[in-house]
Amino acid sequence: MRIPSSHRASTAVRRGSRRLCWLLSGLVLLASSSALAAPAKVIVSTANGQLAGQSDGKGGAVFLGIPFAAPPLGALRWQAPHDVATWPGVRDATRAPAACAQNDYGWNKADAAHSGEDCLYLNLKTPDLHPSQPLPVLVWIHGGSNRAGSAADIDRIKLAHAGIVVVSVQYRLGVLGFLSLPALSAEQGGHSGNYGLMDQLAALKWVQREIGRFGGDPRRVTIAGQSAGGMDVGLLTLEARDQHLFAGAWATGGTPGFGQSVRSLAQNEALGTQLEQRLHVDNLQQLRKAPLKALLAADLQLHSDAITDDSYLWLQAVVDGKVVAAPPASRLADVPATAIPYVLATNRIELQVPGGSAKIERRLHQVFGNHYTEAAHHYGVGGAAQADPDAASHGTLAERIGTDTDFRCAGNHVLARYAAHGAPAWRAQFSFEPSHHSAELPYLYEGTPLNAARPAVSPQAYFINFIRTGDPNGADLPSWPRFTPATGAYVDMDADGVHALTRLGGPICDLFDGV
């Protein structure tokens, strides 16, 4: 039987309408499921205003770009950090802030491309905004020779499973963060420089005021840092010990003096004068108006005769008389038994002598002085017979000497002085392969690095214990004995486990007297 054309058309229309309804219904369901899948924003009120962070869907959240100080722009360039102004409404805290202004050194390309002077922000991750008990807090101070890096490191810190609130701070770098100048000293009561350290202190004060709103315990704050961050942690441990801003300090790959001689205020002011000359300015007003690009270019041209390579320019502690009141060695002389717990760790191989092999002889004279001949014999320099039986496992000659002078021996001497009157301290060496500067970071902050086997004993477990209690030890871990000047106790951590030993570095470190 033939179906009338009008009926066929009507049927086709009805079928088309049903398909359209199904399609629209599917789109609605898809949109609804996408909306449900998208993490919701969560709002926290602070003293300066409300912040909208990104919920993790489990009771925790991430907040990016939280201002802890006013933007150091214009007249605030080279001034102590100023208070943040309050803001109306809800401030978006889901976008990463710009890094502090820095040159591109290759490894920091992403930070350099997205950097500027408006950078005094911190990032925060909390596993629980409303815990039954306040959570321990880690404040991370990034490395980068005090001239590069950013708070973006927070992405790689995996400690939520341990119930730890993580804060990563930014601070002014290079000439913008550590420069002194006679005109600045005259303006600021006889002191200038160390603005980057002032920024870190401002961030720690923010944490004390505000961290409870994010589930954290202001009484259980640990500061940690690596490389220049480890140096800054050491300086803060000595200089801010009476401010009660943190309860423990964990530093890897960096000591308060980074094995270098300290720089006086006058010497740092001379660097500021160098900067003025290179920019062809002769007063502070002109310098504060100088283009950022010109400042960064001039930073690369500054020179100090006191170090063997200018890449270490901002790794000399600047004794400005205020933020850093005295050389670290002097501050270490009177550390009381009640001082906060301090962990200092280094890798079996860190970095070569600043400036490389060509600077070995000068570095040995610089560090060992009257003991140069003994040091040369130990390392087999200048035709002397080598006295180090483990030389092959400690890298090239330049790496062995650089690791000893700037990290291994320097770390020993810092802790020997820190613990002289009974202050709690622990020393470690990481020997994971391949050993190099920063090799320990994935083991501590991520658990295990990509493409590496899980170690027999997790260094992160010690780290978590320390953040929680101020002691790295736990019932299920091999004992990590406290460091004392008498024992020189330390642990060596590698893929096979944790090995308790004494006298890291051996007799060569007895000839070294730096921090």
Side-chain angles (χ1 to χ4, degrees), residues 106-414:
W107 65 267
N108 66 320
K109 188 174 291 294
D111 285 335
H114 184 52
S115 68
E117 289 188 77
D118 182 2
C119 66
L120 298 186
Y121 302 93
L122 56 83
N123 295 334
L124 186 154
K125 284 200 295 190
T126 177
D128 192 345
L129 282 164
H130 305 289
S132 57
Q133 296 291 330
L135 303 175
V137 180
L138 172 70
V139 176
W140 168 250
I141 299 173
H142 70 78
S145 300
N146 279 328
R147 60 178 185 165
S150 76
D153 285 346
I154 198 169
D155 293 339
R156 295 187 289 274
I157 300 178
K158 314 296 184 185
L159 294 174
H161 68 282
I164 293 170
V165 180
V166 178
V167 179
S168 183
V169 306
Q170 299 193 153
Y171 54 98
R172 283 170 283 181
L173 302 164
V175 291
L176 290 162
F178 295 91
L179 190 80
S180 297
L181 200 66
L184 285 170
S185 297
E187 175 190 79
Q188 296 165 20
H191 313 279
S192 63
N194 285 322
Y195 304 104
L197 289 175
M198 294 184 205
D199 297 339
Q200 294 168 19
L201 288 168
L204 287 166
K205 291 173 183 175
W206 183 94
V207 169
Q208 285 297 309
R209 291 192 308 270
E210 304 287 356
I211 203 65
R213 304 173 191 265
F214 299 86
D217 186 349
R219 299 166 300 176
R220 191 62 258 158
V221 174
T222 297
I223 59 172
Q226 185 266 344
S227 193
M231 174 186 177
D232 296 345
V233 162
L235 288 171
L236 293 175
T237 299
L238 297 177
E239 296 295 339
R241 64 192 189 203
D242 298 326
Q243 298 186 38
H244 307 293
L245 295 174
F246 45 92
W250 180 296
T252 62
T255 65
F258 221 86
Q260 308 298 313
S261 60
V262 298
R263 186 183 300 151
S264 69
L265 176 61
Q267 289 169 328
N268 209 45
E269 288 176 340
L271 281 177
T273 301
Q274 273 192 49
L275 182 73
E276 286 184 311
Q277 292 169 347
R278 294 189 180 280
L279 293 174
H280 306 289
V281 300
D282 59 9
N283 64 67
L284 194 51
Q285 185 178 14
Q286 290 177 334
L287 197 57
R288 282 192 166 124
K289 291 180 178 179
L292 176 59
K293 185 176 180 179
L295 283 172
L296 292 176
D299 193 347
L300 295 173
Q301 300 171 357
L302 299 181
H303 171 71
S304 171
D305 288 329
I307 51 179
T308 55
D309 189 84
D310 287 331
S311 66
Y312 275 51
L313 191 69
W314 305 114
L315 290 172
Q316 279 187 285
V318 177
V319 183
D320 66 294
K322 185 177 182 180
V323 182
V324 178
S330 299
R331 299 292 282 155
L332 283 162
D334 62 351
V335 175
T338 55
I340 65 167
Y342 185 16
V343 171
L344 212 164
T346 48
N347 289 292
R348 191 184 75 251
I349 301 173
E350 287 279 0
L351 295 171
Q352 66 176 350
V353 171
S357 299
K359 302 294 185 178
I360 284 177
E361 293 252 5
R362 183 184 170 197
R363 187 66 177 137
L364 290 181
H365 278 291
Q366 194 177 63
V367 172
F368 294 104
N370 294 333
H371 297 290
Y372 168 82
T373 301
E374 295 165 82
H377 174 68
H378 176 83
Y379 294 112
V381 171
Q386 184 172 290
D388 182 1
D390 298 319
S393 67
H394 291 101
T396 66
L397 179 62
E399 287 172 333
R400 287 168 52 212
I401 296 173
T403 298
D404 280 347
T405 59
D406 298 345
F407 301 92
R408 187 180 291 121
C409 300
N412 292 352
H413 276 251
V414 166

Side-chain angles (χ1 to χ4, degrees), residues 33-114:
S33 62
S34 297
L36 290 173
K41 289 187 178 180
V42 60
I43 296 176
V44 170
S45 295
T46 72
N48 294 103
Q50 292 184 310
L51 294 165
Q54 201 79 56
S55 169
D56 65 3
K58 304 173 185 178
V62 176
F63 296 82
L64 303 178
I66 302 175
F68 64 85
L73 305 173
L76 299 187
R77 186 187 268 180
W78 295 302
Q79 282 201 21
H82 285 230
D83 291 340
V84 179
T86 57
W87 57 83
V90 179
R91 182 187 179 100
D92 180 39
T94 62
R95 297 180 182 179
C100 284
Q102 57 196 272
N103 285 298
D104 183 350
Y105 302 103
W107 65 267
N108 66 320
K109 188 174 291 294
D111 285 335
H114 184 52

